[in-house]
Amino acid sequence: MSKETFHQLIATLTAEIADRPLGPALDQWLNARHGAGTPTFDNLKQACLDGVAEGWLCEREGGGIRYGRVFKAEDALHRFSVDVVDMQDIAGPHHSHPNGEIDLIMPLEGEATFDHRPAGWCVYPPGSAHRPTVASGRALVLYLLPEGQIQFTKSS
């Protein structure tokens, strides 16, 4: 799958969520409408697998995590940026989400979970923070960040 086709898949999804507040209701709606086993989930997972195989996703590595920002926040994506990470049994760097964060969890090996959540969507509200953790296997995680906003915690 091409990067352009992936962009269109994301744009179709972000058009549906652009005006929805980030929180528990969106989490439930995404999992009911586009969760594991749905065509949207399957298409996004395959697109991510293709992108990794073709080298335009997860092209960087740091601290045992493969990652990369695929698209900056732009009008065509309803002001969401898109990042994808490849993590296996590891906790990433602590960060906060000034405008919230929407994650698509795509297990690849084992019974991988992301922040204790199985395959599907996880929505963090504005002002939340976490140390993203994949346990019990390997997973790809797609991040949608409103306006591309993320703040990594400085370690002392």
PDB file of all heavy atoms in Angstrom, residues 12-48:
ATOM      1  N   THR A  12     -10.091   9.687   5.897  1.00  0.00           N
ATOM      2  CA  THR A  12     -11.475   9.220   5.987  1.00  0.00           C
ATOM      3  C   THR A  12     -11.872   9.037   7.452  1.00  0.00           C
ATOM      4  O   THR A  12     -12.957   9.448   7.876  1.00  0.00           O
ATOM      5  CB  THR A  12     -11.646   7.905   5.208  1.00  0.00           C
ATOM      6  OG1 THR A  12     -11.327   8.148   3.829  1.00  0.00           O
ATOM      7  CG2 THR A  12     -13.064   7.367   5.311  1.00  0.00           C
ATOM      8  N   LEU A  13     -10.970   8.455   8.234  1.00  0.00           N
ATOM      9  CA  LEU A  13     -11.241   8.251   9.660  1.00  0.00           C
ATOM     10  C   LEU A  13     -11.293   9.578  10.412  1.00  0.00           C
ATOM     11  O   LEU A  13     -12.226   9.818  11.188  1.00  0.00           O
ATOM     12  CB  LEU A  13     -10.178   7.346  10.275  1.00  0.00           C
ATOM     13  CG  LEU A  13     -10.322   7.120  11.777  1.00  0.00           C
ATOM     14  CD1 LEU A  13     -11.572   6.312  12.097  1.00  0.00           C
ATOM     15  CD2 LEU A  13      -9.081   6.460  12.335  1.00  0.00           C
ATOM     16  N   THR A  14     -10.320  10.450  10.187  1.00  0.00           N
ATOM     17  CA  THR A  14     -10.299  11.704  10.942  1.00  0.00           C
ATOM     18  C   THR A  14     -11.493  12.593  10.602  1.00  0.00           C
ATOM     19  O   THR A  14     -11.932  13.371  11.452  1.00  0.00           O
ATOM     20  CB  THR A  14      -8.972  12.470  10.767  1.00  0.00           C
ATOM     21  OG1 THR A  14      -8.752  12.752   9.383  1.00  0.00           O
ATOM     22  CG2 THR A  14      -7.806  11.677  11.343  1.00  0.00           C
ATOM     23  N   ALA A  15     -12.046  12.439   9.411  1.00  0.00           N
ATOM     24  CA  ALA A  15     -13.263  13.194   9.067  1.00  0.00           C
ATOM     25  C   ALA A  15     -14.411  12.804   9.992  1.00  0.00           C
ATOM     26  O   ALA A  15     -15.247  13.636  10.350  1.00  0.00           O
ATOM     27  CB  ALA A  15     -13.649  12.947   7.610  1.00  0.00           C
ATOM     28  N   GLU A  16     -14.439  11.540  10.413  1.00  0.00           N
ATOM     29  CA  GLU A  16     -15.504  11.060  11.297  1.00  0.00           C
ATOM     30  C   GLU A  16     -15.323  11.503  12.743  1.00  0.00           C
ATOM     31  O   GLU A  16     -16.293  11.562  13.495  1.00  0.00           O
ATOM     32  CB  GLU A  16     -15.568   9.528  11.261  1.00  0.00           C
ATOM     33  CG  GLU A  16     -16.082   8.953   9.972  1.00  0.00           C
ATOM     34  CD  GLU A  16     -16.274   7.456  10.088  1.00  0.00           C
ATOM     35  OE1 GLU A  16     -16.973   7.011  11.033  1.00  0.00           O
ATOM     36  OE2 GLU A  16     -15.716   6.736   9.253  1.00  0.00           O
ATOM     37  N   ILE A  17     -14.093  11.770  13.149  1.00  0.00           N
ATOM     38  CA  ILE A  17     -13.839  12.063  14.566  1.00  0.00           C
ATOM     39  C   ILE A  17     -13.438  13.510  14.821  1.00  0.00           C
ATOM     40  O   ILE A  17     -13.281  13.906  15.974  1.00  0.00           O
ATOM     41  CB  ILE A  17     -12.764  11.117  15.143  1.00  0.00           C
ATOM     42  CG1 ILE A  17     -11.423  11.287  14.418  1.00  0.00           C
ATOM     43  CG2 ILE A  17     -13.239   9.668  15.082  1.00  0.00           C
ATOM     44  CD1 ILE A  17     -10.288  10.493  15.027  1.00  0.00           C
ATOM     45  N   ALA A  18     -13.291  14.305  13.783  1.00  0.00           N
ATOM     46  CA  ALA A  18     -12.734  15.659  13.905  1.00  0.00           C
ATOM     47  C   ALA A  18     -13.448  16.536  14.923  1.00  0.00           C
ATOM     48  O   ALA A  18     -12.807  17.318  15.620  1.00  0.00           O
ATOM     49  CB  ALA A  18     -12.720  16.338  12.541  1.00  0.00           C
ATOM     50  N   ASP A  19     -14.751  16.434  15.031  1.00  0.00           N
ATOM     51  CA  ASP A  19     -15.496  17.321  15.928  1.00  0.00           C
ATOM     52  C   ASP A  19     -15.918  16.650  17.235  1.00  0.00           C
ATOM     53  O   ASP A  19     -16.725  17.204  17.975  1.00  0.00           O
ATOM     54  CB  ASP A  19     -16.735  17.862  15.199  1.00  0.00           C
ATOM     55  CG  ASP A  19     -16.343  18.728  14.016  1.00  0.00           C
ATOM     56  OD1 ASP A  19     -15.328  19.448  14.123  1.00  0.00           O
ATOM     57  OD2 ASP A  19     -17.024  18.672  12.981  1.00  0.00           O
ATOM     58  N   ARG A  20     -15.380  15.490  17.512  1.00  0.00           N
ATOM     59  CA  ARG A  20     -15.753  14.762  18.729  1.00  0.00           C
ATOM     60  C   ARG A  20     -14.731  15.033  19.836  1.00  0.00           C
ATOM     61  O   ARG A  20     -13.534  15.012  19.589  1.00  0.00           O
ATOM     62  CB  ARG A  20     -15.804  13.261  18.454  1.00  0.00           C
ATOM     63  CG  ARG A  20     -16.884  12.867  17.475  1.00  0.00           C
ATOM     64  CD  ARG A  20     -16.752  11.371  17.143  1.00  0.00           C
ATOM     65  NE  ARG A  20     -17.743  10.967  16.176  1.00  0.00           N
ATOM     66  CZ  ARG A  20     -18.873  10.333  16.475  1.00  0.00           C
ATOM     67  NH1 ARG A  20     -19.159  10.050  17.732  1.00  0.00           N
ATOM     68  NH2 ARG A  20     -19.710   9.992  15.533  1.00  0.00           N
ATOM     69  N   PRO A  21     -15.198  15.258  21.058  1.00  0.00           N
ATOM     70  CA  PRO A  21     -14.249  15.447  22.155  1.00  0.00           C
ATOM     71  C   PRO A  21     -13.496  14.147  22.454  1.00  0.00           C
ATOM     72  O   PRO A  21     -14.068  13.053  22.359  1.00  0.00           O
ATOM     73  CB  PRO A  21     -15.120  15.860  23.341  1.00  0.00           C
ATOM     74  CG  PRO A  21     -16.525  15.583  22.953  1.00  0.00           C
ATOM     75  CD  PRO A  21     -16.582  15.412  21.467  1.00  0.00           C
ATOM     76  N   LEU A  22     -12.223  14.276  22.782  1.00  0.00           N
ATOM     77  CA  LEU A  22     -11.423  13.110  23.114  1.00  0.00           C
ATOM     78  C   LEU A  22     -11.703  12.701  24.545  1.00  0.00           C
ATOM     79  O   LEU A  22     -11.473  13.482  25.474  1.00  0.00           O
ATOM     80  CB  LEU A  22      -9.938  13.407  22.916  1.00  0.00           C
ATOM     81  CG  LEU A  22      -9.418  13.203  21.490  1.00  0.00           C
ATOM     82  CD1 LEU A  22     -10.077  14.131  20.512  1.00  0.00           C
ATOM     83  CD2 LEU A  22      -7.919  13.333  21.446  1.00  0.00           C
ATOM     84  N   GLY A  23     -12.221  11.498  24.710  1.00  0.00           N
ATOM     85  CA  GLY A  23     -12.553  10.979  26.024  1.00  0.00           C
ATOM     86  C   GLY A  23     -13.207   9.624  25.918  1.00  0.00           C
ATOM     87  O   GLY A  23     -13.195   8.990  24.849  1.00  0.00           O
ATOM     88  N   PRO A  24     -13.818   9.146  27.007  1.00  0.00           N
ATOM     89  CA  PRO A  24     -14.393   7.803  27.051  1.00  0.00           C
ATOM     90  C   PRO A  24     -15.463   7.539  25.981  1.00  0.00           C
ATOM     91  O   PRO A  24     -15.528   6.428  25.446  1.00  0.00           O
ATOM     92  CB  PRO A  24     -14.995   7.705  28.453  1.00  0.00           C
ATOM     93  CG  PRO A  24     -14.247   8.712  29.260  1.00  0.00           C
ATOM     94  CD  PRO A  24     -13.899   9.814  28.308  1.00  0.00           C
ATOM     95  N   ALA A  25     -16.295   8.516  25.665  1.00  0.00           N
ATOM     96  CA  ALA A  25     -17.346   8.290  24.658  1.00  0.00           C
ATOM     97  C   ALA A  25     -16.739   8.023  23.287  1.00  0.00           C
ATOM     98  O   ALA A  25     -17.208   7.145  22.554  1.00  0.00           O
ATOM     99  CB  ALA A  25     -18.303   9.484  24.602  1.00  0.00           C
ATOM    100  N   LEU A  26     -15.679   8.751  22.939  1.00  0.00           N
ATOM    101  CA  LEU A  26     -15.014   8.512  21.656  1.00  0.00           C
ATOM    102  C   LEU A  26     -14.323   7.157  21.665  1.00  0.00           C
ATOM    103  O   LEU A  26     -14.365   6.422  20.667  1.00  0.00           O
ATOM    104  CB  LEU A  26     -14.015   9.630  21.346  1.00  0.00           C
ATOM    105  CG  LEU A  26     -13.258   9.474  20.019  1.00  0.00           C
ATOM    106  CD1 LEU A  26     -14.211   9.393  18.824  1.00  0.00           C
ATOM    107  CD2 LEU A  26     -12.277  10.625  19.846  1.00  0.00           C
ATOM    108  N   ASP A  27     -13.706   6.788  22.773  1.00  0.00           N
ATOM    109  CA  ASP A  27     -13.069   5.478  22.926  1.00  0.00           C
ATOM    110  C   ASP A  27     -14.095   4.379  22.626  1.00  0.00           C
ATOM    111  O   ASP A  27     -13.840   3.478  21.818  1.00  0.00           O
ATOM    112  CB  ASP A  27     -12.532   5.356  24.352  1.00  0.00           C
ATOM    113  CG  ASP A  27     -11.710   4.110  24.594  1.00  0.00           C
ATOM    114  OD1 ASP A  27     -12.254   2.995  24.518  1.00  0.00           O
ATOM    115  OD2 ASP A  27     -10.518   4.261  24.891  1.00  0.00           O
ATOM    116  N   GLN A  28     -15.256   4.464  23.256  1.00  0.00           N
ATOM    117  CA  GLN A  28     -16.303   3.450  23.051  1.00  0.00           C
ATOM    118  C   GLN A  28     -16.807   3.457  21.615  1.00  0.00           C
ATOM    119  O   GLN A  28     -17.009   2.403  21.014  1.00  0.00           O
ATOM    120  CB  GLN A  28     -17.458   3.686  24.024  1.00  0.00           C
ATOM    121  CG  GLN A  28     -17.079   3.418  25.456  1.00  0.00           C
ATOM    122  CD  GLN A  28     -18.146   3.870  26.450  1.00  0.00           C
ATOM    123  OE1 GLN A  28     -19.125   4.514  26.099  1.00  0.00           O
ATOM    124  NE2 GLN A  28     -17.936   3.529  27.711  1.00  0.00           N
ATOM    125  N   TRP A  29     -17.017   4.629  21.049  1.00  0.00           N
ATOM    126  CA  TRP A  29     -17.523   4.742  19.681  1.00  0.00           C
ATOM    127  C   TRP A  29     -16.527   4.149  18.683  1.00  0.00           C
ATOM    128  O   TRP A  29     -16.919   3.384  17.789  1.00  0.00           O
ATOM    129  CB  TRP A  29     -17.812   6.212  19.350  1.00  0.00           C
ATOM    130  CG  TRP A  29     -18.398   6.386  17.992  1.00  0.00           C
ATOM    131  CD1 TRP A  29     -19.718   6.313  17.650  1.00  0.00           C
ATOM    132  CD2 TRP A  29     -17.683   6.662  16.778  1.00  0.00           C
ATOM    133  NE1 TRP A  29     -19.858   6.521  16.300  1.00  0.00           N
ATOM    134  CE2 TRP A  29     -18.631   6.742  15.741  1.00  0.00           C
ATOM    135  CE3 TRP A  29     -16.339   6.856  16.477  1.00  0.00           C
ATOM    136  CZ2 TRP A  29     -18.272   6.999  14.421  1.00  0.00           C
ATOM    137  CZ3 TRP A  29     -15.985   7.115  15.166  1.00  0.00           C
ATOM    138  CH2 TRP A  29     -16.939   7.180  14.153  1.00  0.00           C
ATOM    139  N   LEU A  30     -15.246   4.495  18.822  1.00  0.00           N
ATOM    140  CA  LEU A  30     -14.234   3.962  17.911  1.00  0.00           C
ATOM    141  C   LEU A  30     -14.158   2.444  17.985  1.00  0.00           C
ATOM    142  O   LEU A  30     -14.071   1.770  16.955  1.00  0.00           O
ATOM    143  CB  LEU A  30     -12.857   4.570  18.215  1.00  0.00           C
ATOM    144  CG  LEU A  30     -12.593   5.947  17.642  1.00  0.00           C
ATOM    145  CD1 LEU A  30     -11.360   6.572  18.287  1.00  0.00           C
ATOM    146  CD2 LEU A  30     -12.435   5.876  16.130  1.00  0.00           C
ATOM    147  N   ASN A  31     -14.185   1.890  19.194  1.00  0.00           N
ATOM    148  CA  ASN A  31     -14.105   0.437  19.323  1.00  0.00           C
ATOM    149  C   ASN A  31     -15.350  -0.256  18.786  1.00  0.00           C
ATOM    150  O   ASN A  31     -15.255  -1.338  18.215  1.00  0.00           O
ATOM    151  CB  ASN A  31     -13.807   0.047  20.773  1.00  0.00           C
ATOM    152  CG  ASN A  31     -12.334   0.185  21.067  1.00  0.00           C
ATOM    153  OD1 ASN A  31     -11.506  -0.476  20.463  1.00  0.00           O
ATOM    154  ND2 ASN A  31     -12.002   1.080  21.987  1.00  0.00           N
ATOM    155  N   ALA A  32     -16.516   0.365  18.931  1.00  0.00           N
ATOM    156  CA  ALA A  32     -17.749  -0.224  18.406  1.00  0.00           C
ATOM    157  C   ALA A  32     -17.802  -0.139  16.880  1.00  0.00           C
ATOM    158  O   ALA A  32     -18.210  -1.080  16.203  1.00  0.00           O
ATOM    159  CB  ALA A  32     -18.968   0.470  19.012  1.00  0.00           C
ATOM    160  N   ARG A  33     -17.350   0.978  16.348  1.00  0.00           N
ATOM    161  CA  ARG A  33     -17.484   1.221  14.899  1.00  0.00           C
ATOM    162  C   ARG A  33     -16.274   0.772  14.088  1.00  0.00           C
ATOM    163  O   ARG A  33     -16.418   0.320  12.952  1.00  0.00           O
ATOM    164  CB  ARG A  33     -17.726   2.711  14.693  1.00  0.00           C
ATOM    165  CG  ARG A  33     -17.789   3.121  13.265  1.00  0.00           C
ATOM    166  CD  ARG A  33     -19.059   3.773  12.953  1.00  0.00           C
ATOM    167  NE  ARG A  33     -19.094   4.100  11.544  1.00  0.00           N
ATOM    168  CZ  ARG A  33     -20.019   4.823  11.004  1.00  0.00           C
ATOM    169  NH1 ARG A  33     -20.990   5.286  11.739  1.00  0.00           N
ATOM    170  NH2 ARG A  33     -19.984   5.074   9.730  1.00  0.00           N
ATOM    171  N   HIS A  34     -15.066   0.935  14.656  1.00  0.00           N
ATOM    172  CA  HIS A  34     -13.837   0.671  13.900  1.00  0.00           C
ATOM    173  C   HIS A  34     -12.851  -0.199  14.673  1.00  0.00           C
ATOM    174  O   HIS A  34     -11.648  -0.149  14.424  1.00  0.00           O
ATOM    175  CB  HIS A  34     -13.151   2.000  13.537  1.00  0.00           C
ATOM    176  CG  HIS A  34     -13.984   2.903  12.689  1.00  0.00           C
ATOM    177  ND1 HIS A  34     -14.340   2.590  11.396  1.00  0.00           N
ATOM    178  CD2 HIS A  34     -14.537   4.113  12.952  1.00  0.00           C
ATOM    179  CE1 HIS A  34     -15.060   3.581  10.891  1.00  0.00           C
ATOM    180  NE2 HIS A  34     -15.209   4.511  11.823  1.00  0.00           N
ATOM    181  N   GLY A  35     -13.352  -0.989  15.623  1.00  0.00           N
ATOM    182  CA  GLY A  35     -12.481  -1.796  16.476  1.00  0.00           C
ATOM    183  C   GLY A  35     -11.935  -3.030  15.806  1.00  0.00           C
ATOM    184  O   GLY A  35     -12.143  -3.275  14.608  1.00  0.00           O
ATOM    185  N   ALA A  36     -11.229  -3.827  16.595  1.00  0.00           N
ATOM    186  CA  ALA A  36     -10.611  -5.063  16.097  1.00  0.00           C
ATOM    187  C   ALA A  36     -11.642  -5.915  15.364  1.00  0.00           C
ATOM    188  O   ALA A  36     -12.771  -6.076  15.833  1.00  0.00           O
ATOM    189  CB  ALA A  36     -10.003  -5.837  17.256  1.00  0.00           C
ATOM    190  N   GLY A  37     -11.241  -6.406  14.201  1.00  0.00           N
ATOM    191  CA  GLY A  37     -12.113  -7.258  13.408  1.00  0.00           C
ATOM    192  C   GLY A  37     -12.980  -6.521  12.399  1.00  0.00           C
ATOM    193  O   GLY A  37     -13.651  -7.140  11.593  1.00  0.00           O
ATOM    194  N   THR A  38     -12.954  -5.190  12.425  1.00  0.00           N
ATOM    195  CA  THR A  38     -13.731  -4.418  11.450  1.00  0.00           C
ATOM    196  C   THR A  38     -12.874  -4.148  10.209  1.00  0.00           C
ATOM    197  O   THR A  38     -11.639  -4.212  10.269  1.00  0.00           O
ATOM    198  CB  THR A  38     -14.191  -3.059  12.032  1.00  0.00           C
ATOM    199  OG1 THR A  38     -13.023  -2.254  12.267  1.00  0.00           O
ATOM    200  CG2 THR A  38     -14.994  -3.244  13.315  1.00  0.00           C
ATOM    201  N   PRO A  39     -13.505  -3.817   9.090  1.00  0.00           N
ATOM    202  CA  PRO A  39     -12.716  -3.478   7.899  1.00  0.00           C
ATOM    203  C   PRO A  39     -11.751  -2.307   8.127  1.00  0.00           C
ATOM    204  O   PRO A  39     -10.617  -2.344   7.639  1.00  0.00           O
ATOM    205  CB  PRO A  39     -13.780  -3.121   6.854  1.00  0.00           C
ATOM    206  CG  PRO A  39     -14.984  -3.913   7.271  1.00  0.00           C
ATOM    207  CD  PRO A  39     -14.941  -3.904   8.779  1.00  0.00           C
ATOM    208  N   THR A  40     -12.167  -1.288   8.873  1.00  0.00           N
ATOM    209  CA  THR A  40     -11.271  -0.157   9.135  1.00  0.00           C
ATOM    210  C   THR A  40     -10.021  -0.620   9.872  1.00  0.00           C
ATOM    211  O   THR A  40      -8.890  -0.294   9.476  1.00  0.00           O
ATOM    212  CB  THR A  40     -11.979   0.941   9.963  1.00  0.00           C
ATOM    213  OG1 THR A  40     -13.127   1.383   9.260  1.00  0.00           O
ATOM    214  CG2 THR A  40     -11.065   2.122  10.226  1.00  0.00           C
ATOM    215  N   PHE A  41     -10.199  -1.383  10.935  1.00  0.00           N
ATOM    216  CA  PHE A  41      -9.063  -1.897  11.707  1.00  0.00           C
ATOM    217  C   PHE A  41      -8.159  -2.732  10.811  1.00  0.00           C
ATOM    218  O   PHE A  41      -6.941  -2.531  10.775  1.00  0.00           O
ATOM    219  CB  PHE A  41      -9.561  -2.729  12.894  1.00  0.00           C
ATOM    220  CG  PHE A  41      -8.451  -3.309  13.733  1.00  0.00           C
ATOM    221  CD1 PHE A  41      -7.985  -2.632  14.847  1.00  0.00           C
ATOM    222  CD2 PHE A  41      -7.878  -4.528  13.418  1.00  0.00           C
ATOM    223  CE1 PHE A  41      -6.958  -3.160  15.626  1.00  0.00           C
ATOM    224  CE2 PHE A  41      -6.850  -5.065  14.186  1.00  0.00           C
ATOM    225  CZ  PHE A  41      -6.397  -4.377  15.292  1.00  0.00           C
ATOM    226  N   ASP A  42      -8.751  -3.677  10.079  1.00  0.00           N
ATOM    227  CA  ASP A  42      -7.957  -4.567   9.234  1.00  0.00           C
ATOM    228  C   ASP A  42      -7.202  -3.791   8.159  1.00  0.00           C
ATOM    229  O   ASP A  42      -6.028  -4.076   7.899  1.00  0.00           O
ATOM    230  CB  ASP A  42      -8.848  -5.631   8.595  1.00  0.00           C
ATOM    231  CG  ASP A  42      -9.433  -6.598   9.619  1.00  0.00           C
ATOM    232  OD1 ASP A  42      -8.919  -6.672  10.763  1.00  0.00           O
ATOM    233  OD2 ASP A  42     -10.421  -7.279   9.281  1.00  0.00           O
ATOM    234  N   ASN A  43      -7.839  -2.797   7.549  1.00  0.00           N
ATOM    235  CA  ASN A  43      -7.181  -2.000   6.510  1.00  0.00           C
ATOM    236  C   ASN A  43      -6.046  -1.154   7.077  1.00  0.00           C
ATOM    237  O   ASN A  43      -4.976  -1.050   6.464  1.00  0.00           O
ATOM    238  CB  ASN A  43      -8.190  -1.100   5.793  1.00  0.00           C
ATOM    239  CG  ASN A  43      -9.145  -1.888   4.922  1.00  0.00           C
ATOM    240  OD1 ASN A  43      -8.855  -3.002   4.496  1.00  0.00           O
ATOM    241  ND2 ASN A  43     -10.305  -1.303   4.654  1.00  0.00           N
ATOM    242  N   LEU A  44      -6.282  -0.544   8.238  1.00  0.00           N
ATOM    243  CA  LEU A  44      -5.222   0.261   8.850  1.00  0.00           C
ATOM    244  C   LEU A  44      -4.045  -0.615   9.287  1.00  0.00           C
ATOM    245  O   LEU A  44      -2.887  -0.248   9.096  1.00  0.00           O
ATOM    246  CB  LEU A  44      -5.766   1.061  10.030  1.00  0.00           C
ATOM    247  CG  LEU A  44      -6.625   2.264   9.657  1.00  0.00           C
ATOM    248  CD1 LEU A  44      -7.316   2.836  10.889  1.00  0.00           C
ATOM    249  CD2 LEU A  44      -5.793   3.340   8.962  1.00  0.00           C
ATOM    250  N   LYS A  45      -4.333  -1.775   9.847  1.00  0.00           N
ATOM    251  CA  LYS A  45      -3.256  -2.678  10.258  1.00  0.00           C
ATOM    252  C   LYS A  45      -2.446  -3.123   9.049  1.00  0.00           C
ATOM    253  O   LYS A  45      -1.211  -3.098   9.079  1.00  0.00           O
ATOM    254  CB  LYS A  45      -3.809  -3.883  11.016  1.00  0.00           C
ATOM    255  CG  LYS A  45      -2.717  -4.815  11.535  1.00  0.00           C
ATOM    256  CD  LYS A  45      -3.275  -5.939  12.379  1.00  0.00           C
ATOM    257  CE  LYS A  45      -2.165  -6.831  12.905  1.00  0.00           C
ATOM    258  NZ  LYS A  45      -2.695  -7.918  13.746  1.00  0.00           N
ATOM    259  N   GLN A  46      -3.119  -3.509   7.980  1.00  0.00           N
ATOM    260  CA  GLN A  46      -2.395  -3.943   6.782  1.00  0.00           C
ATOM    261  C   GLN A  46      -1.580  -2.799   6.197  1.00  0.00           C
ATOM    262  O   GLN A  46      -0.442  -2.997   5.767  1.00  0.00           O
ATOM    263  CB  GLN A  46      -3.357  -4.507   5.731  1.00  0.00           C
ATOM    264  CG  GLN A  46      -2.633  -5.165   4.560  1.00  0.00           C
ATOM    265  CD  GLN A  46      -1.733  -6.306   5.001  1.00  0.00           C
ATOM    266  OE1 GLN A  46      -2.175  -7.251   5.643  1.00  0.00           O
ATOM    267  NE2 GLN A  46      -0.438  -6.235   4.670  1.00  0.00           N
ATOM    268  N   ALA A  47      -2.134  -1.598   6.200  1.00  0.00           N
ATOM    269  CA  ALA A  47      -1.402  -0.433   5.701  1.00  0.00           C
ATOM    270  C   ALA A  47      -0.144  -0.194   6.529  1.00  0.00           C
ATOM    271  O   ALA A  47       0.923   0.122   5.985  1.00  0.00           O
ATOM    272  CB  ALA A  47      -2.296   0.801   5.718  1.00  0.00           C
ATOM    273  N   CYS A  48      -0.255  -0.334   7.845  1.00  0.00           N
ATOM    274  CA  CYS A  48       0.910  -0.156   8.711  1.00  0.00           C
ATOM    275  C   CYS A  48       1.949  -1.246   8.462  1.00  0.00           C
ATOM    276  O   CYS A  48       3.155  -0.955   8.373  1.00  0.00           O
ATOM    277  CB  CYS A  48       0.490  -0.128  10.179  1.00  0.00           C
ATOM    278  SG  CYS A  48      -0.379   1.387  10.651  1.00  0.00           S
TER     279      CYS A  48
END
